[in-house]
Amino acid sequence: MRLFSFTTARNRAEYLAVLRAFDHARANYAVLLHAGEVAEILDRVHGAAPAHLSTADIAALLEQLHGWGVLERSYDGARAATLAEYRNRHFVYQFSQGGYQVYRAVEDVLGGGAGDASLSRLVLPELLADLEALAAANLAGDAEQVYRRLTRLDSALSEMATRAAHFYLMLGDLVRTTDITPETFLVHKDALLAHMREFSSDLARFAPRLAEAIDAVERTGLERLLESASGADERLFRTRAERVEDWRARWSGLVHWFAADGETPSETERLREGTMTAISAVLTLLRRVTEAKRGGVSRESQLRHLAGWFANSPTEESAHALFETVFGLGRPRHLSTVHPDADIIPATRSWWEAAPVAISRTLAETGRAPSAGVPARVARNDGGQRRMRDAQLAAQRARKQAAQSLAAGGVDDRVLDEQETEVLLSLLNAALTARVPVSAQVGSAESTGSDSGVRLTLRPHTESTTVRTARGLLHLDRLAVSVQ
């Protein structure tokens, strides 16, 4: 990011002029420049310099650009005509690799415009022709022709992607600025919609043919294609294997553009879907702009009329009255608080005339009405809960033991204790409720079903049954009792 420092410096116009002089010399195949040569170029090229710069000023600018890394500096002893000049150390400068990229980025930002953004519709037939020629060249074994066609395809796809991204960025800017200047949109709406519809139509028409052409190229031999392209590639600082892998990656990207891979859509499908979405957004925007134009009322026109009313107010009191009527700031509407007796002091009365209304501190300081606050913390008696739980478990254990004792000893020829009597009464209650010969069951304390429970069965009998309990004698009229 230090390379971009010249764009925010105080002398940014002078720095940019110096860099433009280097770019001008680069176009004429001159790379190394001295401060005097930079001054000559600025004087010769009309409009390149924002103001007259001396050689000393340019030398200071060059040194600062060298400090930021935009320019590289080297010593040129051949320029010294005397020993004194040799000791003064003449320096020459040239763009650094990163510095030139930063300069081009700045020029692209300064020179970019909405008029340059368009979808490259005419490149689609060229891509189809290049793919057909590539298949023929690979089949014939023409390595140079394969390399040229692949290079053109790669460049065309990169340009297509860049232009599409630029176009949709322009479209987003247009959508954001329509509320301010709707005339800009209304002037260009027909051309914009026609351009997007034509591109979408051509993309849908050429995409299947391009996918078939790619398949035809791969049928001629993909490895042969990559070997031919890497053999004709003239990049000196890459090995043959690196060039093969590079062209393989580029070909994979080209295939991904036009051929879908399973569930993943191709780039052409995504681009066409994005174009259709953009058309819908433009139509929606057109409808909104048209309705706004038809109504003739906008926030801007309202504020302009209001400003005119204030400007034409005859007195200061009338201006204050107009302000209070329009904005309503003389009434406590922002607090939403009224007098307890609305009949005596209505809410429409001004603060200057109405009696004070008591408001809460929270409403006055934060603008929010007071609330009841968080609920109080629930008092939990953990000790009492533990004691109740222990007593409950003890009662369940005692009831289980009584049930097991009742099942083991039965109800005949013995006196049931208090716990056994309690279990027997609960079983009888469940059995007698059914009013039929039925069995009632008490489960175990662990609620595991009938595996450790007790079952009592009542059956009709000619004789009555008498059970002796701790509470007395229990007579069951013409019923026989059995406990298992």
Side-chain angles (χ1 to χ4, degrees):
M1 295 300 103
R2 185 169 55 90
L3 295 171
F4 287 93
S5 300
F6 73 92
T7 60
T8 57
R10 184 173 58 87
N11 298 328
R12 52 185 173 273
E14 287 79 3
Y15 286 123
L16 185 59
V18 169
L19 293 179
R20 283 174 175 169
F22 274 89
D23 188 54
H24 179 79
R26 182 178 176 274
N28 295 320
Y29 308 105
V31 179
L32 299 173
L33 293 180
H34 186 263
E37 295 173 341
V38 174
E40 293 176 2
I41 295 175
L42 292 178
D43 292 336
R44 185 173 67 252
V45 179
H46 178 70
H52 177 70
L53 294 174
S54 63
T55 304
D57 296 334
I58 293 176
L61 296 176
L62 293 175
E63 280 297 313
Q64 185 59 60
L65 289 170
H66 167 67
W68 285 327
V70 181
L71 298 178
E72 292 182 353
R73 185 183 68 181
S74 59
Y75 176 65
D76 185 11
R79 294 178 178 271
T82 64
L83 181 60
E85 292 181 355
Y86 181 81
R87 290 173 178 173
N88 286 335
R89 299 182 64 83
H90 288 264
F91 290 105
V92 290
Y93 300 85
Q94 64 177 344
F95 270 119
S96 65
Q97 185 68 24
Y100 181 71
Q101 295 177 358
V102 166
Y103 166 73
R104 291 310 314 166
V106 172
E107 289 288 14
D108 290 342
V109 171
L110 295 178
D116 301 331
S118 61
L119 296 170
S120 52
R121 177 173 61 90
L122 299 179
V123 77
L124 297 174
E126 296 179 2
L127 289 173
L128 182 60
D130 286 335
L131 285 171
E132 293 173 351
L134 178 63
N138 191 36
L139 193 61
D142 190 348
E144 295 183 358
Q145 185 69 10
V146 167
Y147 173 73
R148 284 195 294 269
R149 294 295 178 177
L150 276 178
T151 303
R152 286 186 54 177
L153 286 168
D154 184 65
S155 301
L157 282 178
S158 299
E159 181 185 3
M160 184 177 178
T162 303
R163 288 166 69 96
H166 191 189
F167 177 79
Y168 290 117
L169 284 176
M170 179 274 298
L171 192 62
D173 292 338
L174 183 64
V175 170
R176 288 193 299 271
T177 58
T178 299
D179 293 337
I180 302 174
T181 57
E183 293 80 7
T184 304
F185 174 74
L186 293 176
V187 169
H188 301 289
K189 64 179 178 62
D190 292 333
L192 184 64
L193 289 172
H195 181 66
M196 287 193 293
R197 287 195 179 107
E198 290 175 358
F199 177 78
S200 178
S201 176
D202 287 353
L203 194 62
R205 182 161 53 94
F206 276 95
R209 300 172 61 184
L210 289 169
E212 293 176 0
I214 289 175
D215 185 62
V217 171
E218 291 186 341
R219 286 199 302 269
T220 61
L222 180 58
E223 295 300 327
R224 180 182 180 182
L225 178 77
L226 299 177
E227 289 292 337
S228 299
S230 62
D233 195 344
E234 296 180 347
R235 286 178 289 181
L236 302 177
F237 302 105
R238 288 197 176 187
T239 63
R240 181 66 175 269
E242 290 176 345
R243 294 198 295 269
V244 169
E245 291 303 319
D246 180 63
W247 282 110
R248 189 187 304 277
R250 295 190 189 191
W251 178 256
S252 299
L254 189 146
V255 172
H256 180 63
W257 255 94
F258 301 103
D261 182 15
E263 299 180 354
T264 304
S266 63
E267 288 296 323
T268 54
E269 294 174 353
R270 293 177 55 192
L271 184 58
R272 184 168 180 268
E273 182 180 355
T275 305
M276 298 303 296
T277 304
I279 291 175
S280 301
V282 170
L283 291 176
T284 302
L285 186 60
L286 174 62
R287 183 172 59 254
R288 187 168 68 246
V289 171
T290 305
E291 292 175 355
K293 296 291 287 186
R294 187 186 303 114
V297 177
S298 63
R299 178 65 64 184
E300 181 181 359
S301 63
Q302 290 176 350
L303 292 176
R304 287 183 181 274
H305 282 291
L306 182 60
W309 291 347
F310 277 109
N312 297 326
S313 297
T315 61
E316 186 176 352
E317 289 76 10
S318 63
H320 281 291
L322 176 62
F323 181 85
E324 182 176 352
T325 302
V326 172
F327 298 104
L329 298 181
R331 300 167 186 170
R333 298 298 179 89
H334 61 292
L335 294 179
S336 301
T337 303
V338 297
H339 196 274
D341 194 345
D343 295 333
I344 299 176
I345 302 179
T348 57
R349 186 172 300 178
S350 172
W351 277 11
W352 303 110
E353 302 173 359
V357 178
I359 62 174
S360 66
R361 185 186 185 96
T362 303
L363 184 61
E365 293 181 351
T366 65
R368 296 190 301 269
S371 61
V374 297
R377 186 176 179 179
V378 178
R380 299 179 60 89
N381 189 359
D382 296 334
Q385 290 182 358
R386 285 194 297 270
R387 288 191 296 271
M388 293 177 63
R389 179 60 177 167
D390 294 341
Q392 183 182 19
L393 294 176
Q396 290 177 355
R397 287 193 295 269
R399 183 178 179 85
K400 179 182 178 181
Q401 293 175 358
Q404 294 175 351
S405 174
L406 181 63
V411 297
D412 299 328
D413 302 330
R414 58 188 295 260
V415 179
L416 305 182
D417 59 16
E418 184 64 28
Q419 293 294 335
E420 293 175 337
T421 303
E422 187 70 27
V423 173
L424 178 64
L425 292 177
S426 64
L427 293 173
L428 286 174
N429 181 50
L432 293 174
T433 302
R435 299 178 181 272
V436 293
V438 69
S439 298
Q441 180 177 353
V442 173
S444 64
E446 293 81 12
S447 298
T448 57
S450 60
D451 54 345
S452 58
V454 175
R455 181 178 298 275
L456 179 142
T457 303
L458 296 177
R459 294 184 179 88
H461 200 268
T462 56
E463 297 179 357
S464 299
T465 301
T466 301
V467 181
R468 292 179 293 172
T469 68
R471 303 181 185 180
L473 299 178
L474 175 63
H475 300 281
L476 300 176
D477 188 20
R478 293 189 299 277
L479 291 176
V481 179
S482 62
V483 180
Q484 297 89 21

